[in-house]
Amino acid sequence: MNTVQARYDFTAIEEKWRTHWLATKTWKVTPDLTRKKYYVLSMFPYPSGRIHMGHVRNYTIGDVIARYRRMRGDNVLHPMGWDAFGLPAENAAIKHHTHPAQWTYENIDYMRIQLQRLGLSYDWDRELATCDASYYRWEQLFFIQMYEKGLAYRKMTTVNWCDPCQTVLANEQVIAGICWRCETQVTPRQMQGWFLKITDYAEELLAGCDQLPGWPEKVLTMQRNWIGKSIGAEIEFRVAGRQSTLRIFTTRPDTIFGATFMSLAPEHPLVTELSKNTDREAEITTFIQRTAAARRQLKPGEEARIEGIFTGGFCLNPFTGAELPIYAANFVLMEYGTGAVMAVPAHDQRDFEFARQYNLPITPVVHPYGEKLDGKTLSAAHEGPGILADSGEFSGLDWKAAQKAITSKAAQKGFGQPKVTYRLRDWGISRQRYWGTPIPIIYCDQCGTQTVPSEQLPVRLPTGVKFKKSGRSPLSALASFGDTTCPTCRGPAQRETDTMDTFMESSWYFARYTCQGSPGCSEASLDQQEAAHWLPVDQYIGGVEHAILHLLYARFYTKVLRDLGYLTIDEPFINLLTQGMVIKDGAKMSKSKGNVVDPHELINKYGADTVRLFSMFAAPPERDLEWNNQGVEGAFRFLSRIHHFVHEQLTPIRHGADHDLPATISGANRTLHRKTHQTISKVTKDLDGAFHFNTAISAVMELVNTLLALNNPEAERKPDPTVNRRAVEAIIALLFPMAPHLCAELWEEIGHDQPLDTLSWPEYDPEALKEDETTVIIQVKGKLRSRLQVAPGTSDKELQKLALADDRVKGFIGAAQVRKIIVVPDKLVNIVI
RNA sequence: GCCCGAAUGGCGGAACUGGUAGACGCAAGGGACUUAAAAUCCCUCGGAGUUCAUCUCUAUGCGAGUUCAAUUCUCGCUUCGGGCACCA
């Protein structure tokens, strides 16, 4: 037997099916109005060179969902492509004296083969690479249209400069002061840059969070916090002895009678203005420079000591006329609100500490219910609710009511209005690097800033470029690229030499997939009918590290494309699954830790099906997955067992197709038949929306265990061939999404001429699920004391009787009086004494 | 500091709507087969006790509470992970 038994030759099986699927374009998809569309998308990879375990996990999850949905009859769009612009290509070019394009396309070719070896069911005809001019030309067009709508603009501002990357970063790409890519600290720098007005969409992006029940709450919370909406009022203070005024933003207008000074950001223009030509000027200039320098040197997570300086100027409280000294304070940010804060030390902890430090008055005006605060003895600011006092006509009002009343009064008198402020700032998209989409702008001394005429698009990246570690963008050093003619006056002009943030490409690729490769899309950015048909993405899968970055940009971009008339949807991704990291020995896999597992080697050793199966089995998808090589062996053993069983029993299993199920199923047949249907039911439930792949696989393992046990050579009566065959068919079909090659092969071998991948998901018979007997547990005072084997549906009365008659139970009740009996049908009897 | 999330055997993880805690897998121990090993198959496997059984006690981070009954609900803590952090 051992000698003739067919080995589980995964290499041959996988090659056979991979070739078949690719050659016949099994996964090519076109719209089909007779079927439900389902768009499943895994975040596309950066072509870094080789796939890693994170990719394997991400793409296997997507593939299992895609294959499952197809078997359920949906018309599934499942595309793949390359997020191909980015710094590593340029850095590699500098290091290896190659060209970023060459490096990138070679990586793509290699990684495509790696993905295909995993048996991922993509429609490869829709493959795209964002570094193709055929892709980025449309991005340039979108940019021009945004510019024309006022959604793209250029300004000089303080930006985040990353020195190793030699470029500017958007706020979202700076995590706690650190560059998201190279993990070094960023420094502020004054620069010209292009920005997209994401702030115009702040309110809609925030409100949209409530319309996304299919997203993890955690991601929505992070987005809400990032947008950071604050409701309050803007109020104008006159500056004493001057024409100028000072605008502040506050969320606590109710405390305005308690304002005792004013805090300004050091960079606030009024600070310089007030101190100009006074004896304080030098001191204040030093302060401004010192705080700016200190902020630059701050380590992430570290807060500077509260520090301030009196500017010499005063402003007037518009309600009381009181003169408030104006301070410059290091904790006030110029970028948020108006860069000026009215300081109410009694009701703001930071102002409180500042007031104590500089001996400024503390005047409580909101007293907690039933309590009276005293500014002299106060140990901390009271930031909570209360009743107003010493606040003129507003005294006696509750704080919330007072906020409204004081804001209205300010508005009525013309020195204030309600105001909503967001923490979110506009998206800076200029990058001082080569390997990105050129920004299609021309600067002309005569005509000013011009967009590149659409017939001249795309603005292609020039190829003859030298890559040096010089620090300057290769584009800005290349006269043949920068020098151009003005589209309006035909005079000499200069091109913009910055390129776009690579998050621009990933902000709309999911829309491009809906028509990529079709003739309608070669001369258009999007085929609007196709986009309307396929979008939104029904299921999106990716790492949680993009909770704010990519996922916020993509939501914004979708709304912009909608408003430009390309899309009809408000949100790009209906359901989002954020998969956990793949870790080894408790830590993220990394070269420096030496705990990297190479998927390619594993596939060579065990086959793609085993690698896929284990990565789905080892942990629920949203949790971190601890990679365990012995666990992989276990997955391999499991698939081998199925393979061996089918081959060993091939003849009887084939014969099982010749007959119907026996009219009455009993004994071992009944056990197996029931288990088969229970497994179909369980796996269906686990794959349908819940994505409990790990328990789905466990369930199939149980069925395999049952099947093998009942067919054990020592078993007295083996199951009927037809019952056996049905179990085998269920195992193959249920496992197909996870281990497609082996299942396709076995399906064919047991005699099906129609391939499994065109077949539908198995149905279960509710009748077959029913147990003949069920175990009812008997508790005495809540403790398990005995068990009863009864027919399901046994009446409460009967169960009570049986329970009380049980010898073991009698012993535990003894002489005690039974006070109460709780019966849960088919489950338990609890006797309370 | 604030906001989320998690905590179950040696390990990864199960447990429907409160109703047999530990499914499934890994590791470990014992056995069969073998000249031997690998592979494969069978048995045991939270802890403690014991009369070795269809036994008892104990056990889901800790402490309370609700309930006939709590891994599950409530409150308070501890630890770990993640996010935000001078945001006015």
Side-chain angles (χ1 to χ4, degrees):
Chain A
M1 192 70 185
N2 290 341
T3 48
V4 292
Q5 192 175 63
R7 196 169 55 90
Y8 169 30
D9 186 355
F10 53 85
T11 309
I13 294 172
E14 293 183 359
E15 199 193 330
K16 168 183 164 183
W17 288 96
R18 182 171 65 245
T19 311
H20 169 76
W21 288 328
L22 290 173
T24 58
K25 297 198 175 183
T26 306
W27 317 118
K28 188 172 171 62
V29 68
T30 50
D32 175 356
L33 298 177
T34 64
R35 285 190 292 160
K36 199 178 124 224
K37 73 95 183 173
Y38 193 91
Y39 185 178
V40 54
L41 184 65
S42 294
M43 290 180 185
F44 67 166
Y46 178 77
S48 55
R50 344 190 72 211
I51 58 164
H52 54 69
M53 275 304 166
H55 292 131
V56 171
R57 193 178 190 198
N58 192 178
Y59 302 142
T60 304
I61 293 170
D63 198 54
V64 170
I65 296 170
R67 288 176 184 271
Y68 172 69
R69 293 309 329 174
R70 282 191 203 101
M71 290 177 87
R72 294 310 300 261
D74 293 351
N75 191 33
V76 174
L77 173 58
H78 188 215
M80 179 43 73
W82 313 95
D83 190 11
F85 271 138
L87 266 181
E90 205 168 331
N91 294 339
I94 295 168
K95 203 171 160 191
H96 302 122
H97 306 289
T98 161
H99 191 279
Q102 189 192 345
W103 185 85
T104 302
Y105 284 108
E106 279 173 10
N107 286 349
I108 287 174
D109 286 341
Y110 186 71
M111 288 174 76
R112 187 189 303 107
I113 291 168
Q114 289 197 310
L115 292 184
Q116 288 172 345
R117 278 209 63 191
L118 270 170
L120 302 167
S121 61
Y122 297 123
D123 177 354
W124 284 105
D125 285 357
R126 291 172 188 264
E127 179 184 358
L128 60 81
T130 59
C131 61
D132 277 349
S134 63
Y135 182 84
Y136 69 68
R137 64 178 295 186
W138 305 116
E139 203 165 292
Q140 292 174 334
L141 183 67
F142 294 148
F143 179 85
I144 289 167
Q145 289 171 344
M146 285 187 223
Y147 177 77
E148 285 163 353
K149 265 197 116 185
L151 287 171
Y153 65 96
R154 192 175 189 231
K155 70 175 173 187
M156 171 71 88
T157 186
T158 309
V159 294
N160 312 296
W161 178 261
C162 175
D163 211 51
C165 295
Q166 285 290 308
T167 188
V168 163
L169 300 171
N171 294 321
E172 289 79 11
Q173 293 152 29
V174 180
I175 320 282
I178 299 278
C179 168
W180 73 291
R181 195 171 268 282
C182 74
E183 296 187 0
T184 53
Q185 195 166 350
V186 302
T187 48
R189 197 182 256 205
Q190 286 291 119
M191 270 178 92
Q192 288 272 15
W194 284 93
F195 289 81
L196 296 189
K197 270 201 161 172
I198 192 170
T199 53
D200 273 13
Y201 289 83
E203 190 57 45
E204 203 196 334
L205 287 166
L206 181 65
C209 291
D210 298 331
Q211 310 300 316
L212 293 169
W215 281 40
E217 198 52 44
K218 182 182 159 184
V219 174
L220 293 174
T221 304
M222 284 167 70
Q223 293 220 346
R224 288 189 188 104
N225 289 343
W226 187 260
I227 295 166
K229 180 180 184 176
S230 292
I231 300 167
E234 200 168 85
I235 293 172
E236 215 166 77
F237 287 61
R238 279 193 13 249
V239 179
R242 287 175 188 257
Q243 288 304 309
S244 37
T245 57
L246 181 52
R247 286 184 311 121
I248 60 104
F249 171 72
T250 180
T251 54
R252 293 295 304 277
D254 53 316
T255 63
I256 194 163
F257 286 79
T260 56
F261 59 100
M262 194 61 73
S263 308
L264 269 53
E267 314 92 291
H268 195 289
L270 198 60
V271 173
T272 323
E273 190 189 319
L274 287 173
S275 58
K276 200 166 233 169
N277 304 323
T278 68
D279 53 356
R280 315 187 66 83
E281 187 172 359
E283 201 187 334
I284 287 168
T285 310
T286 315
F287 176 80
I288 295 170
Q289 287 164 353
R290 194 161 48 81
T291 48
R295 184 173 297 175
R296 214 172 302 145
Q297 282 161 16
L298 267 192
K299 292 204 173 62
E302 193 179 52
E303 283 179 16
R305 287 180 312 281
I306 287 179
E307 204 184 344
I309 188 166
F310 179 48
T311 60
F314 291 86
C315 65
L316 304 170
N317 186 324
F319 280 93
T320 63
E323 283 206 337
L324 307 177
I326 301 174
Y327 278 74
N330 66 340
F331 59 81
V332 182
L333 305 174
M334 193 60 218
E335 312 87 81
Y336 184 78
T338 60
V341 185
M342 77 172 185
V344 186
H347 303 296
D348 180 281
Q349 186 58 27
R350 209 182 31 209
D351 293 344
F352 179 87
E353 284 162 26
F354 194 88
R356 278 285 154 85
Q357 197 168 322
Y358 294 101
N359 273 319
L360 293 157
I362 297 170
T363 316
V365 289
V366 178
H367 298 279
Y369 308 116
E371 212 184 308
K372 178 90 179 155
L373 302 176
D374 181 351
K376 290 193 182 66
T377 57
L378 212 56
S379 61
H382 169 65
E383 297 182 333
I387 303 288
L388 266 72
D390 303 315
S391 298
E393 57 181 296
F394 307 102
S395 298
L397 283 181
D398 192 63
W399 69 320
K400 284 287 173 197
Q403 288 173 6
K404 285 204 183 93
I406 289 176
T407 308
S408 316
K409 187 78 175 186
Q412 189 194 324
K413 294 260 185 176
F415 56 76
Q417 68 265 306
K419 173 88 181 173
V420 175
T421 300
Y422 299 90
R423 207 187 79 108
L424 180 71
R425 273 167 258 154
D426 280 339
W427 177 13
I429 57 141
S430 292
R431 297 292 178 271
Q432 292 67 37
R433 297 295 298 239
Y434 167 80
W435 192 234
T437 303
I439 296 174
I441 290 288
I442 294 168
Y443 303 106
C444 170
D445 286 342
Q446 307 303 315
C447 312
T449 302
Q450 310 276 307
T451 55
V452 173
S454 54
E455 66 274 11
Q456 288 178 25
L457 294 180
V459 178
R460 287 177 191 275
L461 276 176
T463 45
V465 179
K466 293 271 185 298
F467 296 95
K468 286 177 296 206
K469 227 175 173 169
S470 67
R472 266 178 73 82
S473 154
L475 286 187
S476 65
L478 196 69
S480 63
F481 178 79
D483 296 340
T484 186
T485 50
C486 169
T488 307
C489 72
R490 302 284 154 200
Q494 282 296 311
R495 279 192 198 282
E496 169 66 62
T497 56
D498 282 354
T499 51
M500 295 187 206
D501 182 1
T502 56
F503 280 100
M504 289 284 275
E505 285 86 63
S506 51
S507 290
W508 70 286
Y509 78 111
F510 50 88
R512 178 74 185 181
Y513 277 143
T514 63
C515 52
Q516 174 75 11
S518 76
C521 251
S522 60
E523 288 309 315
S525 56
L526 292 170
D527 180 320
Q528 294 187 34
Q529 272 194 332
E530 296 269 357
H533 174 75
W534 290 111
L535 291 173
V537 173
D538 294 279
Q539 183 64 54
Y540 199 35
I541 306 131
V544 74
E545 66 273 16
H546 285 113
I548 316 188
L549 289 158
H550 161 60
L551 289 168
L552 186 67
Y553 294 143
R555 292 183 61 215
F556 159 64
Y557 217 97
T558 299
K559 292 168 197 298
V560 171
L561 290 184
R562 175 200 61 196
D563 293 346
L564 290 174
Y566 291 100
L567 300 179
T568 53
I569 50 164
D570 298 320
E571 291 288 344
F573 316 120
I574 299 289
N575 295 296
L576 173 69
L577 175 65
T578 49
Q579 105 256 7
M581 286 188 304
V582 181
I583 57 176
K584 180 93 199 299
D585 310 322
K588 187 178 175 173
M589 288 185 185
S590 73
K591 274 187 204 143
S592 58
K593 291 196 189 78
N595 61 349
V596 179
V597 177
D598 181 15
H600 207 80
E601 285 173 23
L602 280 173
I603 292 170
N604 286 338
K605 195 167 170 195
Y606 300 104
D609 283 338
T610 292
V611 175
R612 291 169 59 115
L613 187 78
F614 179 72
S615 59
M616 301 304 280
F617 175 68
E622 60 284 348
R623 232 187 283 187
D624 283 352
L625 186 160
E626 171 74 34
W627 195 264
N628 177 348
N629 286 331
Q630 284 163 327
V632 181
E633 300 252 7
F636 179 73
R637 275 200 292 267
F638 171 66
L639 292 181
S640 302
R641 266 202 297 276
I642 296 173
H643 180 268
H644 288 157
F645 178 78
V646 171
H647 279 257
E648 203 176 73
Q649 305 276 327
L650 201 54
T651 311
I653 290 172
R654 281 187 180 154
H655 283 311
D658 304 341
H659 305 279
D660 286 336
L661 283 172
T664 50
I665 308 177
S666 59
N669 285 331
R670 196 169 172 84
T671 307
L672 182 56
H673 182 244
R674 181 168 54 233
K675 189 74 183 171
T676 301
H677 285 263
Q678 285 174 339
T679 306
I680 296 170
S681 160
K682 166 74 176 159
V683 174
T684 304
K685 213 170 99 199
D686 280 348
L687 294 192
D688 216 304
F691 304 139
H692 292 165
F693 309 112
N694 55 332
T695 51
I697 294 167
S698 302
V700 180
M701 286 173 168
E702 284 187 53
L703 175 57
V704 171
N705 291 346
T706 304
L707 175 72
L708 265 52
L710 293 174
N711 285 280
N712 183 300
E714 284 150 44
E716 281 177 30
R717 298 177 63 189
K718 291 182 188 169
D720 172 271
T722 308
V723 177
N724 252 347
R725 181 181 173 87
R726 298 293 170 94
V728 168
E729 285 180 335
I731 290 164
I732 294 172
L734 297 177
L735 228 42
F736 178 65
M738 289 75 133
H741 310 88
L742 174 63
C743 292
E745 178 70 10
L746 294 179
W747 190 256
E748 192 180 74
E749 287 189 285
I750 62 171
H752 287 283
D753 44 19
Q754 203 184 357
L756 181 55
D757 43 55
T758 59
L759 236 81
S760 59
W761 191 249
E763 301 270 345
Y764 62 89
D765 172 9
E767 277 302 308
L769 300 181
K770 290 182 185 164
E771 299 278 358
D772 304 329
E773 269 198 331
T774 181
T775 308
V776 170
I777 58 157
I778 311 175
Q779 298 179 332
V780 177
K781 282 205 299 188
K783 288 199 177 185
L784 173 66
R785 294 306 181 192
S786 188
R787 295 178 172 85
L788 292 172
Q789 292 295 322
V790 298
T794 304
S795 73
D796 289 13
K797 229 180 183 173
E798 181 67 15
L799 286 175
Q800 257 191 49
K801 212 177 93 189
L802 288 167
L804 289 170
D806 187 277
D807 282 343
R808 290 183 35 75
V809 170
K810 277 183 189 163
F812 280 98
I813 298 175
Q817 198 198 338
V818 175
R819 293 196 310 181
K820 197 173 170 187
I821 301 181
I822 287 133
V823 181
V824 181
D826 296 345
K827 278 261 163 67
L828 80 126
V829 178
N830 189 4
I831 299 162
V832 188
I833 53 173

